[in-house]
Amino acid sequence: MDKRRFLITGGLALATPNLLLAANPPLKLRELYNKDGSFSDLALNLADQRVTVMGFMAPPLKADSQFFVLTKKPLAVCPFCETEADWPDDILAIYMRRKYRVISFSRKIETTGRLALGKFVDPETGFLSMVRIEDARFEVA
Amino acid sequence: MKTIATSFVALIAANAVVAQDIPQAENAWFAAGQAEIAKQLAKTPNTTKAKNVIILISDGNGVGTNYASRIFAGQQDGGFGDEYIQPHEGFPNLALAKTYNVNAQTPDSAGTGTAMMTGVKTKAGVLGVNENVKRGECATITGNTVASFNEIMSDLGKATGIVSTARLTHATPAAAYSKSVDRNFEATLPEGCTEQKDIAAQLIDAMETGVIDVALGGGRRNFIGADIEGEEGKAGRRAEGENLIAAATEMGAYYAWDQATFDAAPKDGTPLLGLFESSHMKYEADRDNEPSLAEMTGAAIEALKVKSGDNGFFLQVEAGRVDHANHDGNLARVVRDQKAMADAVAMADAMTDDADTLIIVTADHEHAIAFNGYCGRGSDILGLCMGIDGAGVVNTGEPELADDGQPYTVAGYLNGAGSILREDMNWAGVRPALTQDEATDLDYTQQALVPKSSETHSGEDVAIYAKGPWAHLVDGTLEQNVIFHVMHHAVTAE
């Protein structure tokens, strides 16, 4: 075996997963759902893996929280403050690693963390989510 | 007489010579213009009494929104978009409507719906009542209610129906059957309000008395109690124990809640109640397991024809979510819902005879939408404004740049959630960089100026398109309530 070739191949193989991750565009929120509200195959395949999802930070209910809601379009009102509002079905609950800085609802952000599927009721707010990103961080897109 | 005849011949000859002498006479645009004039000259007003009337209202589809939708449909069809003709744009008669409410330069759908359905303008936010009421004050309703076109048509022995992609208790469909001092009294009333019923209860009453024979749309939650779970797992908004859907079926109505139960609906004169979502029906782009606006329109016409026999029918159709997507500043869903509306217009037209059916297509109001320039032909109506190619027809493919060095979309909004002004910058703003892929994404919110959580209506005129008996009365710049009077004249003319 050509040792040099092995090294190059091995090096490439090691580098490729990261390269691929970097090259993949962030997920769109709607890609996690089917039209009937069920999880998409993509979401099911990515469950428990680290993903990056693009969206907007809905105005949070509580200051100094580690939780906010990611929406696919800018949503200027707080999901919990307006009891009569019709919230979109396809939103994503974000649980940050630590407390975060609130970003204007109209700025696009990319949130990275572990995709968690399944029913969960937030103990602080009572917010029921079916899908979340946990251990998350975000950056302004 | 001989002199007149000679002059007439001379006139014809002169016109022919003029046409032959014009160098552009062979140009395709010139020929198309001549063909259009011939078509206009061949128009003859239909002055027979209308048997049926259908009004299709695209909520929020003013002249600007309709323009965006035309271009979108045309581009989906493979063209530049501008040349495309939506079904209603082929109708022979056209007017502009002034949409203001008596107390609002910028109207709301309750006031405009009441104007179209009762013949009188009224205040913003109220339904089936005149301007003497005070919004929200139930006691002021006494003596101030007005009759809707559905009630009048029902009294004439005709069947009537409503179809909407919004909640059936929402402003535009509710204007067909309800009288309420506040459009928000959809499922409940304030304490002490005894002078009127809530809007959902009024719909069931209207079905029971036979004023409404077909009602298809969204808004299930307003018909069931908070302790009752609807078919899709969401609780109602009414007082506990109340179930108006059960009341409707007990009086003989057929109830549909999804595509399968819609498909199975009888078209034999049985009253039809369709509630396909807990709140509004889905946007066309997101629709699943529920009928399209065109499908509901077709089913309603079929059912109303059977119900009415030779007496005829009246149907109000609303594309309710063109408005909602505009409020979101999300033009990608606006134009897709308006395409669904155009398909419903085509369906209504195909299922009826121009000789006896008056069809009116209009909007209740416009939005704060606006268009940039100077964009070359074929610029994606959802995307960036591309340059004009002086040497060709198709745009250059290079985005025009603003003075900030950034490209901009063809369409934008004057206000809304897409505002570039940011609270975290003390309401200063910078336009973010934007690519064609981002701008044409289904979820993209168009850039706006004034920051508002929800983009607003505007007071700009809307178009009225008409065909069929007395459609020629739709002409000029009209007050919006005149639409009622055109419909009423058409069905009562002798």
Side-chain angles (χ1 to χ4, degrees), chain A residues 28 30 74 84 86 107, chain B residues 221 237 422 441 443 445:
Chain A
K28 290 170 183 165
R30 64 172 185 269
E84 291 299 308
D86 291 314
R107 297 193 76 185
Chain B
R221 72 187 189 192
R237 293 282 175 93
R422 293 197 340 233
D441 188 82
D443 294 327
T445 300

Side-chain angles (χ1 to χ4, degrees), chain A:
Chain A
M1 176 183 261
D2 181 337
K3 194 175 177 185
R4 199 180 64 159
R5 186 171 173 187
F6 170 78
L7 284 173
I8 291 171
T9 310
L12 275 177
L14 283 173
T16 301
N18 285 335
L19 281 174
L20 279 178
L21 268 182
N24 282 341
L27 295 169
K28 290 170 183 165
L29 221 156
R30 64 172 185 269
E31 292 176 316
L32 299 175
Y33 294 94
N34 295 317
K35 281 188 175 181
D36 65 1
S38 60
F39 295 130
S40 66
D41 288 345
L42 181 67
L44 293 171
N45 288 335
L46 291 173
D48 298 323
Q49 295 184 43
R50 288 193 77 77
V51 297
T52 299
V53 182
M54 196 162 57
F56 300 86
M57 181 188 293
L61 173 67
K62 283 170 67 79
D64 298 329
S65 173
Q66 286 176 240
F67 165 68
F68 70 88
V69 170
L70 193 74
T71 60
K72 66 182 180 183
K73 290 182 286 187
L75 202 64
V77 279
C78 156
F80 317 110
C81 313
E82 307 277 339
T83 53
E84 291 299 308
D86 291 314
W87 298 108
D89 293 329
D90 44 359
I91 56 179
L92 193 54
I94 307 295
Y95 286 88
M96 298 289 288
R97 280 180 181 168
R98 44 186 75 88
K99 288 173 187 171
Y100 62 92
R101 159 176 77 98
V102 174
I103 296 290
S104 174
F105 73 90
S106 60
R107 297 193 76 185
K108 191 184 288 182
I109 59 174
E110 293 179 1
T111 306
T112 301
R114 188 178 62 254
L115 184 68
L117 306 182
K119 196 171 173 178
F120 177 76
V121 178
D122 183 80
E124 280 190 351
T125 62
F127 184 81
L128 169 68
S129 61
M130 300 304 292
V131 57
R132 294 160 300 288
I133 293 186
E134 298 171 347
D135 189 29
R137 59 180 169 78
F138 70 80
E139 57 189 46
V140 175

Side-chain angles (χ1 to χ4, degrees), chain B residues 187-204:
Chain B
T188 57
L189 293 167
E191 201 175 326
C193 177
T194 56
E195 293 84 359
Q196 67 162 90
K197 287 188 173 182
D198 66 76
I199 295 168
Q202 291 188 47
L203 174 55
I204 300 305

Side-chain angles (χ1 to χ4, degrees), chain B residues 242-255:
Chain B
E242 291 187 0
N243 190 336
L244 297 182
I245 298 171
T249 54
E250 280 162 19
M251 72 179 170
Y254 174 87
Y255 170 60

